[in-house]
């Protein structure tokens, strides 16, 4: 088939409308002129012919219509398609004629006479000549009878065409409502509980806990004066032209131009920028006077002059000024909730561990040991300069090291001392340093063995006193501690001293100097053993709970019915062979702009406080230090200076904690989650990671930026071709399903097309673990009678269209606990977040029942969320739920479920729960609706006509006799009217 490579399917469909429908004023194809028997045919339809003359006339009219409406001549490829479409309309007319004959469409005598009355032969000067008509009628000639039959057939054809058009055309009122609904934009308020916020492994803080913490720690939430800004950047900071443009823009803003409208021409505005007196974004270059003026401006006002910036002139609007004081609860609540969750996670296991320790304490008596050890490192030993005698002595003692065989003289040549003095000095120093280290180690070991302490020698060594330690417990972290622990175990706790050489030349000296009988380890000493026991206990508890879940409804875990079915897969076209136009690529790029955009990046500073040692005490000390620093930051001290002085992150501390720009996935998960939740200028609370406690401040943001199409054209083109390939193969799969009505017929088609038939077996007990789309497919199969085709094909994304049929089903059977234990435990674990979410919902419902308003409860969750630009079929970003949101906000077969400014009950969404309030619904303009209705009406009608005439093609064989036209494939209809 001939491929057309540079015409969009939607454009071709529009041409079809322009070339055929617009003249008739109806969506149905008009009847073609009556064909004469004479002349060559361009196609045959059943027993009828499409004369070449009729076709050429219709093609010429269609081309004239295109030129008239477009004002330009079509390209050669487009001309060929228009001609092929004109032929399609004539073929449809012939199909209608045959179908009208078969169905015997009734035509009355009055209808025939009315048609005759319009004939030019019976009309002169616009007046019907009744006498002439009667004479012709009475004569009843062969020509009259032939004309009568032709008129009867034409009337029948037109009546059938109108009937078909009425059947396939959409209901005008419903279509109008659908289009208006799809183009309406809504603004919503939400109280949302996101499933991602719930873990289920630790108890969620109660709302009263959040309130109590806020009241008890008000001083922690003191904030300096802050302002929220919106900023438009223009030109380069050093450019006078940029300054002039910025001045003109400020004048326009003062004259009434909206800030949002003005920003559109400059890539949009940076919004929600939070600043404090000495805390502006890194790109701000305004002096102290300009920065101070921000806090004296009324909310909503624009600064009178542009502000110099790092990357250009800044036009600044002050959106809000917040005086110094305690942050309101809505700003602090999420931070409080996070802190309470972290505390519950950190201390929840401690409570259980301590309870286990108290229960076992009486059985923990053991023998323990006190140990000291020192590591003597040669690198720390100071060695003076060797004397000439030292060098001479070393040289004489190591002559072999400085001698070599001389082949020229066939003798051993020894290099003189003067030639190797530097090497001798270095060797002497290393050896002497080792001798001193070994001597010091021997003296220290002798002193400890004799029960004495050599303070001077210990001061020069790294001495650690450890214990009491049960036998087998780690003596200390690090290499030396492990060796001492191994030595203690090897000696079975026998007191005494020992000396061990380490790999790097250092020497380890240890002394097991005290044995303690009937020693009870402290909680921290026994903690490692308790952690293992607690993990085992928790696993037992989980299994017990899962077993109870199984016992409540064993049938839930039965194997379920077994489906035995077959499938064939209609492969996608190679995307590299799919015809595609640049306009299609451009449209795909705009429709999937997120996929081809540089991700959002933040620039932040942080202060890190790391625990100095392992253990809970060191962690608590680090937290106290971090809390003190956070108070100083919130009191207005310079963040950068505090980071330089106190941060434990060595690479960033000299830079004031500056981490530079980073995207998602670059930082530790807890750090990233906290940083990306902040606005520019905001400072976090304490954020705990494995590195310690962080205080984070976001100082700049690079929003997501769309890559220009020219930079990503190959990728976009491939993706667009793949999507188009899926549309084309879907149409092919649908045509196969229209041709085959039984599995046997589908097998025959598969054999002819060389598609393999794949045998499948599926047990419905695994149903719950599958994606929803696969679940729907299997449910559809399950409901089929045996030996039946699934009436619709299923897309295997990026691969093929799947056509399936059910062969038979097997009965379900019950199972034993041991057979499904792992499955039940896994479901119990994965369902923990959802159970925590439902528990929180119940708690909030109790607050509502006690008289709390939704707005009041929302303050405990960061305040009511304001979402703009919500459209039908999209749901809410981050929460999904298009079906539920559409029913509530936009309606469908029924009106919207809630009115404006009314809170809904809890709505179950894809990724959480929400209560929803409609702030406003903005209907589309009349012109937009009219254009979209017209486009949608024509598209829906043409889809119906294609389906109708597709069936007629199977009833009446169609042959296109023109070799060129027979090779032209009409493109598929677009998915939607645009």
């Amino acid at each position: 088939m001939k491929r057309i490579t540079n015409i969009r399917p939607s454009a071709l469909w529009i041409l079809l409308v322009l070339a055929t429908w617009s003249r008739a004023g109806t969506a149905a194809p008009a009847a073609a002129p009556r064909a004469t028997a004479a002349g060559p045919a361009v196609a045959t339809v059943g027993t009828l012919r499409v004369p070449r003359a009729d076709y050429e006339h219709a093609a010429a009219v269609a081309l004239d219509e295109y030129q008239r409406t477009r004002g330009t001549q079509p390209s050669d490829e487009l001309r060929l398609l228009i001609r092929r479409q004109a032929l399609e309309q004539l073929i449809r007319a012939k199909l209608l004629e045959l179908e009208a004959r078969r169905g015997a469409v009734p035509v009355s005598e009055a209808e025939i006479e009315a048609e005759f009355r319009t004939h030019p032969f019976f009309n002169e000067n616009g007046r019907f000549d009744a006498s002439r008509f009667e004479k012709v009628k009475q004569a009843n000639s062969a020509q009259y009878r032939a004309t009568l039959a032709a008129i009867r057939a034409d009337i029948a054809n037109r009546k059938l065409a109108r009937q078909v058009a009425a059947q396939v055309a959409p209901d005008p009122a419903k279509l109008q409502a659908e289009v208006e609904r799809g183009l309406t934009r809504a603004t919503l308020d939400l109280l949302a509980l996101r499933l991602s916020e719930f873990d289920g492994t630790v108890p969620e803080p109660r709302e009263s806990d959040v309130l109590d913490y806020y009241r008890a720690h008000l001083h922690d939430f003191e904030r300096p004066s802050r302002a929220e800004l919106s900023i438009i950047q223009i030109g380069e900071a050093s450019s006078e032209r940029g300054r002039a443009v910025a001045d003109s823009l400020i004048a326009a803003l003062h004259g009434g131009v909206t800030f949002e409208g003005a920003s559109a021409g400059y890539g949009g505005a940076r919004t929600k920028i939070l600043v404090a007196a000495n805390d502006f974004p890194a790109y701000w270059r305004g002096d102290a006077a300009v920065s101070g003026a921000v806090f004296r401006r009324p909310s909503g006002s624009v600064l009178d002059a542009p502000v110099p910036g790092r990357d250009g002139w800044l036009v600044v609007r002050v959106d809000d000024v917040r005086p110094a004081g305690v942050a309101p609860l809505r700003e602090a609540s999420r931070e409080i909730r996070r802190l309470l969750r972290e505390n519950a996670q950190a201390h929840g296991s401690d409570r259980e561990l301590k309870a286990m320790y108290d229960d076992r304490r009486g059985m923990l008596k053991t023998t323990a040991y006190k140990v000291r050890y020192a590591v003597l490192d040669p690198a720390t030993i100071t060695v003076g300069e060797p004397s000439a005698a030292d060098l001479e002595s070393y040289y004489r003692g190591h002559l072999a090291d400085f001698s070599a065989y001389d082949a020229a003289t066939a003798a051993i040549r020894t290099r003189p001392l003067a030639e190797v003095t530097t090497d001798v000095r270095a060797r002497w120093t290393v050896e002497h340093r080792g001798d001193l280290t070994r001597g010091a180690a021997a003296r220290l070991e002798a002193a400890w063995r004799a029960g004495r302490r050599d303070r001077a020698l210990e001061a020069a060594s790294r001495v650690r006193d450890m214990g009491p330690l049960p036998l087998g417990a780690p003596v200390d972290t690090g290499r030396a501690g492990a060796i001492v622990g191994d030595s203690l175990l090897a000696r079975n706790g026998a007191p005494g001293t020992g000396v061990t050489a380490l790999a790097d030349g250092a020497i380890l000296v240890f002394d097991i100097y005290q044995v303690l009988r009937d020693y009870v380890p402290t909680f921290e000493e026994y903690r490692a053993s308790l952690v293992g026991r607690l993990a085992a206990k928790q696993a037992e508890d989980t299994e017990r709970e899962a077993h109870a879940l199984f016992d409540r409804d064993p049938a839930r875990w039965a194997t379920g019915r077994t489906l035995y079915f077959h499938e064939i897969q209609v492969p996608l076209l190679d995307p590299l062979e799919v015809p595609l136009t640049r306009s299609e690529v451009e449209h795909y790029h705009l429709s999937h702009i997120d996929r081809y955009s540089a991700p959002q990046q933040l620039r932040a500073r942080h202060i890190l406080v790391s625990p100095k040692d392992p253990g809970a005490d060191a962690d608590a000390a680090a937290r106290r230090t971090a809390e003190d620093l956070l108070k100083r930051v919130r009191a207005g001290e310079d963040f950068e200076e505090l980071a330089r002085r106190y941060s434990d992150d060595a690479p960033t501390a000299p830079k004031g904690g500056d981490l530079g720009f980073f995207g998602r996935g670059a930082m530790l998960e807890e750090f990233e989650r906290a940083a990306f939740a902040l606005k520019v200028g905001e400072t976090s609370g304490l954020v705990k990671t494995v590195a310690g406690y962080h205080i984070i401040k976001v100082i700049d943001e690079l929003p997501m930026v769309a890559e220009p199409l020219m930079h990503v054209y190959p990728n976009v083109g491939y993706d667009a071709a793949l999507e188009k390939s899926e549309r084309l193969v879907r149409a092919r799969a649908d045509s196969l399903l229209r041709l085959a009505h039984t599995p046997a017929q589908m097998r025959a088609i598969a054999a002819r097309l060389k598609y393999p038939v794949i045998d499948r077996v599926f047990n419905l007990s695994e149903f719950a673990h599958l994606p929803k789309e696969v679940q729907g497919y299997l449910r559809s199969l399950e409901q089929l009678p045996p030996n039946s085709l699934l009436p619709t094909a299923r897309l295997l994304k990026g691969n093929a269209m799947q056509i399936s049929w059910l062969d038979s089903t097997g009965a379900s059977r019950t199972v034993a606990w041991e057979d499904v234990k792992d499955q039940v435990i896994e479901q119990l674990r994965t369902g923990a977040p959802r159970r925590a979410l439902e528990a929180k919902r119940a708690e909030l419902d109790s607050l509502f029942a006690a008289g709390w308003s939704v707005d009041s409860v929302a303050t405990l969750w960061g305040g009511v969320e304001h979402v703009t630009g919500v459209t039908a079929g999209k749901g809410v970003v981050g929460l999904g739920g298009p079906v539920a949101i559409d029913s509530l906000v936009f309606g469908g077969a029924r009106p919207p479920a809630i009115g404006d400014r009314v809170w809904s009950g809890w709505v179950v969404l894809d990724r959480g729960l929400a209560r929803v309030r409609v702030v406003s619904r903005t209907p589309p303009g009349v012109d937009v609706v009219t254009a979209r209705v017209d486009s949608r009406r024509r598209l829906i009608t043409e889809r119906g006509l294609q389906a109708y005439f597709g069936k007629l093609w199977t009833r009446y064989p169609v042959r296109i006799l023109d070799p060129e036209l027979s090779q032209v494939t009409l493109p598929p209809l677009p998915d939607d009217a645009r």
Side-chain angles (χ1 to χ4, degrees):
M1 302 294 273
K2 184 173 291 187
R3 285 199 173 113
I4 304 300
T5 58
N6 63 349
I7 307 295
R8 293 175 59 191
S10 56
L12 294 178
W13 170 71
I14 291 170
L15 292 174
L16 178 65
V17 174
L18 291 174
T20 58
W21 296 358
S22 59
R23 296 187 313 279
T26 174
R34 295 288 297 165
T36 61
V42 70
T44 62
V45 182
T47 59
L48 303 179
R49 302 165 67 252
V50 179
R52 167 70 69 174
D54 289 352
Y55 161 69
E56 293 295 347
H57 173 74
V61 171
L63 288 167
D64 287 345
E65 186 74 18
Y66 174 86
Q67 185 175 355
R68 184 181 66 79
T69 55
R70 294 299 181 90
T72 182
Q73 288 284 349
S75 65
D76 291 342
E77 286 183 319
L78 185 52
R79 177 183 295 274
L80 182 58
L81 278 168
I82 294 173
R83 289 173 62 83
R84 173 65 182 84
Q85 290 165 340
L87 176 60
E88 186 72 12
Q89 295 305 299
L90 294 177
I91 290 172
R92 287 185 178 185
K94 294 299 183 184
L95 290 169
L96 280 175
E97 184 176 343
L98 290 171
E99 188 67 3
R101 291 181 189 176
R102 188 182 77 89
V105 177
V107 178
S108 67
E109 294 300 323
E111 290 174 317
I112 295 173
E113 185 169 328
E115 187 74 18
F116 262 117
R117 286 175 175 272
T118 64
H119 198 284
F121 181 77
F122 302 114
N123 287 270
E124 284 189 18
N125 300 320
R127 296 184 63 184
F128 175 66
D129 189 337
S131 61
R132 178 180 290 188
F133 174 65
E134 284 299 325
K135 287 178 183 178
V136 172
K137 187 176 178 181
Q138 291 299 325
N140 196 25
S141 65
Q143 184 179 1
Y144 170 75
R145 291 195 298 274
T147 303
L148 186 66
I151 290 176
R152 185 184 299 276
D154 286 342
I155 293 173
N157 294 350
R158 291 199 298 271
K159 290 180 73 172
L160 179 58
R162 288 194 293 271
Q163 290 172 11
V164 172
Q167 290 171 4
V168 300
D171 178 89
K174 288 183 178 179
L175 179 60
Q176 179 87 10
E178 176 189 326
V179 168
E180 289 179 352
R181 175 176 176 269
L183 294 175
T184 297
R185 299 292 182 266
T187 299
L188 308 179
D189 284 340
L190 298 178
L191 167 58
L193 302 180
R194 289 172 169 79
L195 191 59
S196 60
E197 294 181 309
F198 294 84
D199 180 76
T201 59
V202 293
E204 278 294 310
R206 295 183 61 80
E207 305 310 292
S208 57
D209 297 335
V210 176
L211 276 171
D212 292 344
Y213 188 97
Y214 178 71
R215 291 165 179 160
H217 298 80
L218 288 175
H219 59 284
D220 288 345
F221 302 105
E222 291 178 356
R223 304 285 191 266
S225 295
R226 292 179 299 164
E228 184 175 310
L229 310 179
S230 292
I231 297 175
I232 303 172
Q233 178 182 303
I234 299 173
E236 299 177 2
S238 59
S239 165
E240 285 304 316
R241 182 177 178 278
R243 170 65 189 259
V245 172
D247 285 335
S248 299
L249 184 58
I250 291 172
L253 291 169
H254 288 161
V257 173
T258 66
F259 197 85
E260 288 70 22
S263 69
Y266 302 93
R270 293 175 173 174
T271 61
K272 300 186 181 302
I273 309 298
L274 286 177
V275 299
N278 296 311
D279 188 5
F280 278 75
Y283 54 81
W284 183 278
R285 296 290 185 266
D287 57 24
V290 172
S291 300
V294 165
F295 299 93
R296 296 190 294 273
R297 301 287 298 196
S299 296
S301 63
V302 176
L303 296 188
D304 295 330
V307 177
R310 180 190 61 202
D311 306 312
W313 291 96
L314 309 178
V315 176
V316 181
R317 182 180 68 188
V318 180
D319 296 325
D320 189 22
V321 177
R322 307 171 191 174
V326 176
L329 177 58
R330 70 174 180 277
E331 291 184 15
S333 59
R334 288 196 175 273
E335 181 182 339
I336 294 171
R337 204 172 290 278
R338 179 180 57 79
L339 289 171
L340 291 175
R341 285 170 178 152
E342 289 178 359
N343 286 337
Q345 189 168 23
H347 303 302
S349 59
D350 275 0
R351 286 191 293 272
E352 292 187 72
L353 291 172
K354 286 176 180 176
M356 292 175 65
Y357 174 75
D358 292 338
D359 288 343
R360 301 180 59 81
R361 187 169 183 173
M363 300 180 288
L364 298 182
K365 288 184 180 179
T366 186
T367 301
Y369 306 86
K370 288 191 175 182
V371 179
R372 66 173 65 97
Y373 73 88
V375 177
L376 290 84
D377 188 349
T380 64
I381 302 295
T382 302
V383 179
E385 278 294 313
S387 65
D390 291 331
L391 294 176
E392 179 71 27
S393 174
Y394 187 88
Y395 174 72
R396 295 296 174 191
H398 297 80
L399 280 175
D401 294 340
F402 306 106
S403 302
Y405 176 73
D406 188 346
T409 62
I412 301 296
R413 178 181 179 274
T414 301
R415 299 167 67 191
L417 175 60
E419 187 178 318
V420 295
T421 299
T422 301
D423 192 15
V424 170
R425 179 182 287 106
R427 291 176 177 232
W428 178 90
T429 300
V430 170
E431 198 167 296
H432 191 51
R433 188 175 275 142
D435 291 340
L436 292 177
T437 302
R438 286 187 290 275
R443 293 196 303 276
L444 182 60
E445 191 270 341
W448 284 355
R449 187 172 63 248
R452 294 182 291 102
R453 304 292 297 271
D454 188 330
R455 300 298 180 187
L457 197 54
E458 290 181 15
S461 310
R462 300 198 298 272
V463 178
R464 302 259 306 172
D465 261 288
M466 312 298 295
L469 300 167
L471 195 63
V475 171
D476 201 357
T477 58
R479 175 188 57 171
I483 293 173
V484 175
D486 292 344
S487 300
L488 178 62
L489 193 61
R491 297 166 64 99
N492 198 27
T497 60
V499 179
T500 301
L502 303 180
D504 59 359
I507 299 175
L508 170 69
V509 181
F510 65 86
D511 181 16
I512 305 168
Y513 65 89
Q514 187 176 1
V515 180
L516 303 174
R517 309 293 178 185
D518 296 331
Y519 176 74
V520 177
T522 66
F523 171 73
E524 288 297 333
E525 291 167 347
Y526 197 60
R527 184 188 184 95
S529 297
L530 290 171
V531 167
R533 292 177 181 275
L534 178 60
K537 177 180 177 297
Q538 289 173 337
E540 291 173 2
D541 292 343
T542 299
E543 182 171 338
R544 190 179 304 111
E545 188 177 351
H547 204 321
L549 178 63
F550 173 81
D551 290 340
R552 284 196 292 271
D553 185 11
R556 176 181 175 188
W557 313 100
T559 59
R561 299 169 68 200
T562 301
L563 303 182
Y564 301 92
F565 59 99
H566 284 85
E567 67 183 43
I568 64 171
Q569 294 182 1
V570 184
L572 296 182
L573 299 175
D574 184 340
L576 298 179
E577 296 182 4
V578 173
L580 204 64
T581 68
R582 181 176 180 85
S583 59
E584 285 180 289
V585 177
E586 290 171 348
H587 177 74
Y588 189 90
H589 180 241
L590 289 174
S591 301
H592 302 82
I593 197 69
D594 290 357
R595 191 182 300 175
Y596 309 104
S597 300
Q600 176 192 19
Q601 289 192 315
L602 297 181
R603 184 180 179 192
R605 299 185 189 274
H606 83 135
I607 301 171
L608 171 65
V609 181
S610 299
K612 304 304 180 187
D613 296 297
D617 292 342
D619 185 83
R623 186 182 184 97
R624 287 193 296 272
T625 300
E627 287 173 342
D628 290 341
L629 288 170
L630 181 59
K631 290 177 183 177
R632 295 172 66 176
V633 168
R634 287 176 170 165
E637 287 194 47
D638 187 84
F639 191 102
E640 191 173 343
E641 184 59 32
L642 290 174
R644 284 196 184 93
R645 293 171 58 188
Y646 299 109
S647 179
D648 289 330
D649 186 15
T652 65
K655 299 183 290 185
D658 192 348
L659 293 160
F661 282 100
F662 57 89
R664 295 184 186 274
M667 299 294 179
L668 293 169
E669 182 181 353
E670 302 88 348
F671 187 101
E672 177 185 297
R673 190 162 50 243
F676 277 90
L678 299 172
K679 302 171 186 175
V680 174
E682 273 191 332
T683 302
S684 73
L686 296 188
V687 179
K688 175 74 181 296
T689 71
V690 293
Y693 293 91
H694 306 258
I695 304 168
I696 308 167
K697 178 181 178 181
V698 175
I699 57 175
D700 203 352
E701 177 187 13
L702 294 176
M704 183 181 72
V705 177
E707 289 284 351
L709 179 58
M710 63 182 294
H711 295 167
V712 292
Y713 195 94
N715 291 342
V716 179
Y718 183 88
D719 293 343
L722 182 61
E723 183 181 87
K724 185 173 181 180
S725 174
E726 291 174 355
R727 291 201 307 271
L728 295 174
V729 78
R730 187 187 297 277
R732 181 162 198 185
D734 290 344
S735 68
L736 294 182
L737 283 168
R738 286 196 297 270
L739 290 173
H741 303 290
T742 66
Q745 292 173 341
M746 189 59 74
R747 282 179 181 274
I749 291 174
R752 188 165 66 250
L753 298 175
K754 295 183 171 53
Y755 294 157
V757 178
I758 305 168
D759 187 16
R760 301 289 193 196
V761 178
F762 182 79
N763 193 295
L764 289 175
S765 63
E766 303 172 22
F767 185 83
H769 304 286
L770 298 174
K772 288 184 178 179
E773 189 269 337
V774 180
Q775 288 182 356
Y777 160 69
L778 290 171
R779 282 296 185 217
S780 298
L781 266 177
E782 183 189 17
Q783 293 164 10
L784 287 175
N787 201 35
S788 297
L789 280 166
L790 195 63
T792 57
R794 169 175 169 253
L795 176 66
L796 303 177
K797 193 68 177 174
N799 186 10
M801 287 297 295
Q802 181 185 59
I803 297 175
S804 308
W805 61 89
L806 180 68
D807 297 309
S808 62
T809 60
S812 61
R813 64 181 180 84
T814 57
V815 294
W817 157 249
E818 290 299 329
D819 294 335
V820 293
K821 178 174 72 173
D822 293 342
Q823 180 184 339
V824 181
I825 289 173
E826 180 61 23
Q827 184 161 333
L828 186 69
R829 286 174 175 158
T830 56
R834 176 65 66 177
R835 291 194 296 275
L837 176 70
E838 291 296 336
K840 179 56 67 177
R841 169 184 180 170
E843 182 188 351
L844 297 187
D845 283 343
S846 67
L847 293 181
F848 297 138
W852 284 57
S853 68
V854 177
D855 295 84
S856 298
V857 171
T859 60
L860 299 169
W861 289 84
V864 170
E865 298 180 40
H866 197 65
V867 183
T868 60
V870 180
T871 58
K874 302 295 185 182
V876 177
V877 174
L879 286 166
V883 174
I885 293 298
D886 285 2
S887 175
L888 280 175
V889 179
F890 300 103
R894 298 179 179 178
I898 56 174
D900 290 355
R901 300 291 176 178
V902 177
W903 282 107
S904 72
W906 289 108
V907 182
V908 179
L909 304 174
D910 298 335
R911 292 180 287 279
L913 301 170
R915 293 192 65 172
V916 180
R917 177 171 63 189
V918 178
V919 177
S920 65
R921 297 178 179 89
T922 304
V926 174
D927 292 344
V928 175
V929 172
T930 300
R932 180 63 63 87
V933 165
D934 184 56
S935 184
R936 287 281 296 152
R937 176 183 59 78
R938 294 181 178 185
L939 176 60
I940 294 168
T941 301
E942 177 59 20
R943 280 192 184 135
L945 290 174
Q946 281 195 358
Y948 177 80
F949 285 109
K951 293 177 181 177
L952 295 189
W953 271 62
T954 63
R955 182 175 295 160
Y956 308 107
V958 176
R959 291 179 58 214
I960 299 177
L961 305 177
D962 184 285
E964 184 179 41
L965 291 174
S966 67
Q967 296 299 309
V968 178
T969 302
L970 289 174
L973 290 171
D975 290 337
D976 198 357
R978 292 183 173 88

